[in-house]
Amino acid sequence: MSMQPSDFGGASRRTREVLRQSEERFRLLVEGVKDYAIFMLDPYGYITTWNEGAQRIKGYDSEEIIGEHFSVFYTDEDVERGHPEEELRIAKAEGSYEEEGLRVRKDGSTFWASVLITALRDEDGELRGFAKVTRDITTRQEAEERERLLAQERAARERTTDILESISDAFFAVDRQWRFTYVNNKAEELWGRPREELLGKNLWEEFPEEVDSESYRQIRRAMEEDKTTEFESLSPVSGAWVAGRAYPSREGLSVYFRDVTERKRAEESLGRVREAERKRIARDLHDGPLQDFSYTAAALGMIMLQAEDTALEEWLQGAIDAVRHGAQGLREVVNDLRIDDEEGRPLTEMVQSVVRRNRIMARDTEVSLEVGEGVPAAPLGETGTQVSRVIQEALTNARRHAGARKISVSVRVEGDDLLAEVIDDGVGLGPEVPPGVGLGSMRERAALVGGELEIEGEEGHGTSVRLRVPLPQGTPE
Amino acid sequence: MTAEPEARRTRVMLVEDHADFRGLMEVLLGRQPDIELLAQAGSLVEARAQAARFEVDVAVLDLGLPDGSGADLIADLRRASNEVRVLVLSASLDPAGIEKARSAGADEILDKLTPVQEVLATVRRLGNA
C-alpha cells in the first residue's frame, strides 16, 4: 500500500518491524479477497493498486490497469456526463460515496455493481487518494428481478384464473398439439370430467365422439386458418346444445362455450308456436275470405249469364276478373303459409312439391326442375327444410316481383356441398333490391344451416339465386 | 212426342259447406233441364247419410269440409255406387289436398274460380260418361 505511516516518532525498530509485518498481512488479505474488487485511486482517479477480486470482477490484471484512469470501468454515457469525476467530488466532500450502477468489464460486457468510494486523507487532512470497493451484484439483482417477475406472473395468473373460473361460460385452452392446457370449472361441470383427467391430454382423443361434429369442424378451422370461429351444435358428449367461439392464441386455442339447450328449446317451441300460428292463419283465410271470394266470383258468373249482350256485361266481367285476381293472390298467401312437417321428407320430394305448387299458382310461368346425380334420397332434416324454403322464396320473388316467364330450378351436389339454384328471366333484381322480397329471410335460412347465399341480378337480365350448403354429415347418398 | 226418360237426367249430389256457394250451385243446377240435384250436404256426416240414401251419377265435392276432407268421401261414394263420377271443386289448389283427391279417385278437379259454364259443362260430361 502506498499510504505510509508518516511519523513513527521515537518508536523502536522492533515496533516498526511489528507494524511492517501487520501492514504486509493486511496487504495480503486485501489482495487475496476474491469477491470484492478493492483498489486505490490517486486523488485524480488514476488506479494505484489492484487485487485479485478486481481482476476477477473487471477482467484486467494489475499490470495493464495500474496507472489507468478509473473511468474505464464506466459506460460511455456515464463518462460523457462526467459521472466518475462526480463520484470522486462527492467522496472528497463528504468522505465517501456509495451507489449501485452499471459498470463495464474489460471485454465490454456490463454488470451491476455495488460501489463504495472512500476518500483517504493523511493526518494533516490532505487528500491522498481514494479506496474503492466494488462488488458484482448482477446475480443477486437478477435473482430479485426474476422473483419479482415470477410474483407478478403468479398474480396475473391468479387473476386470470379467477376470471376464467368466475365466468359462467365453459372455457378451455389447448396447445398446438391439441393438448389441454387449461380447463375451467364450468367446462368440468358440462363435461362431467375433472380437469386433472384432461390436462395434458389430446382434446380429440378425450372426446372422440365430437370428431366430425360442427363444433369439431369450427374449432379445427380456428387452429388451421388462425382465425376466430363460431360453433353451435348438439354435443354428443353432454347431450346438450352448445354454442361457443374458438380464438387462436399464442400457444394454441382458447375456446369458450355455453350450454344453450334452454335457449334452443325456447327457439324450438317458439318455432312450433309460429308454425301453428301460420297454419291457423292459413286455415282462417282459406275457410273465410277465400271461400267468400270463390262464391262471389261464381255468383257474378251466374249474373253474367243473365246479362249476356247487355251493357252490364263489361262491368260484370271487370268485377269477376278483380274478384278472381284477389282470390288468386289470397290463395298464394294461404299456400305460402301452409308448411307441412317437412323434415322427414326427402329433399327431392320437397322441391318437387314446391315447384308443382308454383306451377299451379302461376300458370303463365314455366317452371322447370332439374335434380342432379348424387342428391341424397334420405331426408336432410333442417337442411332440407331450409333449402326448400329458400327455393320457395326465390320462386315467389321471381313470380311476384320479377314477373318472370321462365324459371329454372336446379339442385345438385358438388363435393360435400349441396347446390340449389333458381334462375329467372324477369326484370332482374339489381343491387337495389326492393325491401320485403325475402332476401333477408333467405340469407337467414342459409345461415341457419351453415350455407351461403349468392344473388346476382342485372336489370332486365333476370336474377339468379344460388344457395350452397354443406350436406349434413353422414348423409347416405 | 216421346218424353225423354227421367233416368237420362244426370243425378247430382252437391257437398259444400259454404252456404251461399251451395245456394248458388243449387240455383244453377236447378235451372238445367238435363240435371237433377238429388242430394245436398254441408258436411262429411251429412254427405255419408245422403250417399246411403241416394244413388247419383255425379258428386260435386268441396275439399275443405268442417269435419274433414271431401277426399275422404270419395271411397264411400264409390262403395255405394261403382258408376259415380266425382268432380272436386277446390278453392285453394293446395297440392297436398289435390294429390289426396286425385289418389282417392277424383275424376276431375276444378278451381272454384272456374267460370260457372265450365263447371256445368264438366258435370254434363261426367254425367254422360
Side-chain angles (χ1 to χ4, degrees):
Chain A
M1 295 191 102
S2 66
M3 195 178 57
Q4 297 289 325
S6 58
D7 185 2
F8 295 109
S12 69
R13 177 172 289 272
R14 196 173 164 276
T15 309
R16 240 182 285 157
E17 176 59 20
V18 168
L19 214 69
R20 197 196 59 77
Q21 284 179 2
S22 151
E23 215 173 272
E24 175 67 12
R25 276 200 298 275
F26 181 66
R27 190 182 61 80
L28 289 171
L29 174 77
V30 169
E31 280 181 358
V33 169
K34 292 192 178 95
D35 290 338
Y36 292 83
I38 301 172
F39 55 97
M40 295 182 75
L41 308 176
D42 71 7
Y44 308 101
Y46 289 93
I47 296 154
T48 57
T49 71
W50 199 242
N51 79 336
E52 198 179 327
Q55 182 171 344
R56 225 169 59 84
I57 292 170
K58 303 200 185 256
Y60 299 94
D61 55 38
S62 52
E63 284 79 29
E64 55 185 342
I65 199 67
I66 288 177
E68 292 294 323
H69 194 262
F70 84 117
S71 59
V72 296
F73 306 138
Y74 291 75
T75 61
D76 291 347
E77 292 82 54
D78 278 351
V79 172
E80 224 159 89
R81 68 189 171 100
H83 187 58
E85 289 76 17
E86 175 74 3
E87 284 184 1
L88 294 187
R89 196 187 58 73
I90 295 171
K92 186 175 164 187
E94 297 175 9
S96 69
Y97 175 82
E98 200 174 353
E99 74 156 27
E100 288 186 0
L102 210 57
R103 294 293 181 274
V104 183
R105 294 193 188 94
K106 183 186 172 188
D107 64 6
S109 64
T110 55
F111 66 100
W112 201 256
S114 162
V115 176
L116 171 65
I117 299 175
T118 311
L120 301 174
R121 293 174 185 281
D122 62 19
E123 282 168 356
D124 300 330
E126 190 77 26
L127 182 75
R128 303 295 295 266
F130 300 91
K132 197 173 178 206
V133 180
T134 302
R135 193 157 54 96
D136 182 348
I137 56 167
T138 307
T139 336
R140 211 190 70 200
Q141 191 89 14
E142 274 175 1
E144 278 171 9
E145 178 70 8
R146 237 191 333 269
E147 203 157 301
R148 200 175 58 77
L149 284 175
L150 276 174
Q152 246 176 29
E153 204 181 299
R154 204 159 38 234
R157 210 196 332 267
E158 273 164 19
R159 267 199 305 277
T160 312
T161 304
D162 190 44
I163 292 168
L164 292 176
E165 293 304 323
S166 64
I167 56 173
S168 60
D169 284 354
F171 172 84
F172 67 86
V174 289
D175 64 16
R176 299 205 169 272
Q177 279 73 50
W178 297 107
R179 289 182 301 228
F180 282 107
T181 56
Y182 195 96
V183 174
N184 82 347
N185 205 11
K186 196 75 191 176
E188 286 183 304
E189 205 177 284
L190 278 182
W191 286 330
R193 309 231 351 224
R195 68 191 77 180
E196 295 74 28
E197 223 178 275
L198 299 170
L199 290 171
K201 303 281 179 53
N202 183 296
L203 163 62
W204 307 121
E205 280 167 17
E206 292 306 306
F207 297 108
E209 313 91 321
E210 286 284 358
V211 170
D212 283 344
S213 71
E214 174 63 11
S215 304
Y216 169 84
R217 281 198 300 275
Q218 294 305 331
I219 292 171
R220 280 205 79 101
R221 205 159 66 89
M223 184 86 92
E224 280 156 15
E225 297 176 21
D226 196 30
K227 65 181 200 187
T228 302
T229 60
E230 284 184 40
F231 55 86
E232 181 169 308
S233 65
L234 185 65
S235 162
V237 173
S238 59
W241 274 94
V242 295
R245 282 206 175 116
Y247 302 91
S249 67
R250 220 168 22 162
E251 69 159 7
L253 279 188
S254 303
V255 182
Y256 293 81
F257 63 102
R258 220 154 9 101
D259 183 340
V260 292
T261 310
E262 265 182 46
R263 192 198 78 199
K264 207 73 189 171
R265 288 220 180 99
E267 275 174 13
E268 276 166 13
S269 79
L270 191 66
R272 277 195 298 275
V273 168
R274 282 211 191 105
E275 208 82 317
E277 186 82 335
R278 287 167 72 103
K279 281 184 179 155
R280 187 186 61 73
I281 295 169
R283 196 177 52 239
D284 288 353
L285 289 177
H286 175 270
D287 295 350
L290 188 55
Q291 300 295 333
D292 291 340
F293 272 137
S294 307
Y295 158 73
T296 310
L300 289 173
M302 285 270 288
I303 298 168
M304 251 306 254
L305 292 179
Q306 316 295 314
E308 264 175 9
D309 303 321
T310 72
L312 279 178
E313 190 176 5
E314 202 181 317
W315 287 93
L316 278 168
Q317 191 57 54
I320 290 171
D321 289 346
V323 171
R324 277 204 188 120
H325 192 254
Q328 273 157 354
L330 192 57
R331 185 148 69 200
E332 288 190 24
V333 173
V334 168
N335 282 327
D336 282 351
L337 284 169
R338 272 185 178 154
I339 293 164
D340 314 328
D341 170 30
E342 287 176 320
E343 300 210 349
R345 293 171 67 196
L347 178 73
T348 314
E349 202 182 299
M350 278 193 279
V351 175
Q352 276 166 353
S353 125
V354 163
V355 167
R356 207 160 37 232
R357 185 151 71 219
N358 282 272
R359 281 179 187 147
I360 292 169
M361 286 190 259
R363 285 161 198 265
D364 299 337
T365 311
E366 195 185 317
V367 187
S368 66
L369 171 65
E370 200 185 314
V371 177
E373 292 279 312
V375 174
L380 298 181
E382 175 79 359
T383 300
T385 305
Q386 299 307 344
V387 169
S388 76
R389 290 191 194 171
V390 167
I391 292 176
Q392 170 63 69
E393 282 176 35
L395 281 169
T396 305
N397 285 343
R399 284 192 290 108
R400 287 197 197 152
H401 305 288
R405 310 291 298 176
K406 271 189 183 172
I407 310 173
S408 57
V409 179
S410 75
V411 182
R412 62 179 189 276
V413 168
E414 242 184 52
D416 292 336
D417 294 339
L418 185 77
L419 232 74
E421 270 183 349
V422 178
I423 300 172
D424 71 58
D425 66 348
V427 293
L429 301 170
E432 312 262 318
V433 176
V437 299
L439 295 191
S441 117
M442 283 198 278
R443 283 195 204 287
E444 269 171 37
R445 290 185 188 287
L448 264 179
V449 289
E452 279 167 31
L453 191 79
E454 196 183 286
I455 297 168
E456 274 174 30
E458 208 185 311
E459 239 175 277
H461 292 88
T463 304
S464 65
V465 175
R466 265 183 212 93
L467 171 67
R468 179 185 283 276
V469 292
L471 279 169
Q473 288 295 312
T475 310
E477 295 263 312
Chain B
M1 182 176 158
T2 39
E4 281 288 308
E6 198 72 359
R8 296 296 294 273
R9 287 172 74 187
T10 299
R11 294 163 300 171
V12 173
M13 173 158 83
L14 178 62
V15 184
E16 167 64 62
D17 67 322
H18 194 281
D20 289 339
F21 196 91
R22 200 165 86 216
L24 192 76
M25 293 302 286
E26 189 183 342
V27 173
L28 180 69
L29 296 171
R31 283 191 190 155
Q32 314 304 318
D34 57 337
I35 290 175
E36 182 187 4
L37 182 60
L38 204 59
Q40 286 186 46
S43 68
L44 275 184
V45 173
E46 274 175 39
R48 288 198 174 106
Q50 300 284 40
R53 284 177 57 200
F54 301 101
E55 193 180 318
V56 296
D57 305 306
V58 177
V60 179
L61 296 186
D62 181 24
L63 284 183
L65 295 170
D67 51 352
S69 167
D72 295 334
L73 197 62
I74 298 175
D76 297 331
L77 292 170
R78 289 250 184 276
R79 244 192 312 281
S81 157
N82 215 17
E83 301 293 302
V84 71
R85 301 279 162 219
V86 176
L87 166 60
V88 164
L89 291 182
S90 166
S92 67
L93 295 182
D94 158 45
I98 286 174
E99 271 168 35
K100 195 174 170 194
R102 223 184 270 288
S103 60
D107 295 286
E108 203 58 72
I109 297 168
L110 284 182
D111 184 349
K112 266 194 174 172
L113 296 176
T114 307
V116 287
Q117 299 95 312
E118 237 183 280
V119 176
L120 272 180
T122 308
V123 171
R124 284 204 177 88
R125 181 162 57 74
L126 290 174
N128 295 331

